[in-house]
Amino acid sequence: MKMDQKIAFAYDASVMFTADETLSYGREPLLRRMPDGSLLAVFFTGGPREPHPDNFVAMIRSFDDGATWTRPEPFFRHPYLCTWATELFQDGEESLCFIHTSDFRSGYCNLRAHITRTRDSGKSWSPPATVAGVPPNFTVRQGKILSDGSWVFPIYWEDARGNWDFEAKVSDNGPFHAPEWFFTSGVIRSVDQGRTFTLHGAISQERKHHWEPCITELEPGHLRMFIRCESPEAVLWEADSFDYGLTWSKSHPGSIPNPGTKSALLETDGVHLLFNNTCTPADPNRNRLELWISDDNLRSWKRKITLAELHPEPGEKPWSYFFRANAPLPQVSYPGAFADPQRKCVYLAVDSVRKFYLMKIPFSEIL
């Protein structure tokens, strides 16, 4: 394992972004290769924390395959709403980025999704427009092109289940807490290359959050969804569709440990790759990021690799300093990954709030 500060890495990890006095943190890097060969990463930052009215989406780029990165530059900013990007999707020469706005005073209860597009590898982008065909009150996660050519994106939104009141949070001047609002998961589908979409599924459980889902296709039409759910089991929850995402089973707790955070799920050459924070119910922290590998459609995991592990000092609780400048690194999580068949490796961005790291994992070691 290779060390950087308090993090041990299984592979060489280069730094993509480092917080400074201007941008004191960064969250959720979305990493993709553009048609011109450059690497593009977008993330959100701005203000002292999230959500905050000064949140905006920033962009960095590498022209030497990740060895060096440009300084962050504003990508999208709204005059009075938080902005946040959660998916960067490609199909041929066109790339789509899903940009979300929200009013920080209500947390994430009023998210709105928008699409911006580029056909010149991210040099210019269209003005953000709402997602055609569906009510836009959701956030979008990593989409997939299925075996029938359709596009499917897992999404989630918040439902008010009994009371729409908000309770003011005592510390940090907000945001407001909504005790009777709960996240629900589903998907949006497109059969016309993203010109229009339809909404499917409402996957939820009583008084549980179902959010930040990821999906993969196991056999033609059979989709598996893994769902973040803060629950005593500290595991990813699961649901299935057998009709290309049109309908979904009831969710249930699975056997994959997760502390309540985002995971990423890829498939390449018939092998499924799950990037996930593992934990125990007694220690539900984001200190360990693992890669689990399955070559039998998720029936079993033939190999598990610890990719990054945070080693806090005894008694140190990084989460309590999550957004404080110069605080301990609070996590190794929110993986952003894509498989590159031409270069025969997986590119992985890891979020530690004050730094992003890039790892390249050779296919020869995982396929």
Side-chain angles (χ1 to χ4, degrees), residues 252-283:
H252 61 90
S255 60
I256 301 170
N258 179 272
T261 188
K262 167 188 168 181
S263 57
L265 189 56
L266 303 181
E267 184 274 330
T268 185
D269 289 343
V271 176
H272 287 87
L273 309 173
L274 174 66
F275 299 87
N276 176 55
N277 286 109
T278 57
C279 66
T280 65
D283 184 21

Side-chain angles (χ1 to χ4, degrees), residues 293-331:
I293 303 168
S294 174
D295 60 3
D296 59 4
N297 275 349
L298 305 184
R299 288 186 289 273
S300 65
W301 303 97
K302 72 172 186 178
R303 191 178 176 198
K304 301 175 183 179
I305 304 171
T306 299
L307 296 174
E309 189 164 16
L310 177 66
H311 295 282
E313 298 294 334
E316 183 179 82
K317 297 180 179 180
W319 269 102
S320 63
Y321 305 102
F322 199 80
F323 289 111
R324 294 186 192 177
N326 302 317
L329 297 174
Q331 62 174 20

Side-chain angles (χ1 to χ4, degrees), residues 138-149:
F138 53 79
T139 183
V140 178
R141 312 312 292 187
Q142 189 168 7
K144 302 294 167 65
I145 301 176
L146 303 186
S147 57
D148 67 348

